[in-house]
Amino acid sequence: MRNNSDRTARVYEKRKYSGRWVCVTRSGGSIHDLRSYSLNDQTRSLRINRDDCG
């Protein structure tokens, strides 16, 4: 997953932005393999943020 926007992105395990999540930083941030976060084939929602993930 690659984020080419000027905003951060959170990938969530469950619908409606719940469960475990991982942040993809802005401007070229990437996660090459969601398996290392135990989220491969488990993601159900994505939220784009104006601020940093934290």
Side-chain angles (χ1 to χ4, degrees):
M1 168 178 256
R2 181 182 272 308
N3 181 1
N4 288 321
S5 75
D6 62 348
R7 298 180 179 197
T8 59
R10 279 189 188 178
V11 179
Y12 291 86
E13 173 186 30
K14 297 180 182 179
R15 290 183 169 91
K16 298 183 181 180
Y17 318 113
S18 63
R20 293 176 299 125
W21 57 270
V22 65
C23 180
V24 184
T25 57
R26 62 184 90 216
S27 302
S30 64
I31 295 176
H32 298 285
D33 191 350
L34 288 171
R35 286 180 291 193
S36 62
Y37 297 93
S38 298
L39 289 174
N40 190 50
D41 296 330
Q42 299 295 318
T43 59
R44 298 290 183 257
S45 53
L46 170 73
R47 177 172 277 171
I48 304 301
N49 303 297
R50 291 182 186 262
D51 54 354
D52 291 336
C53 291

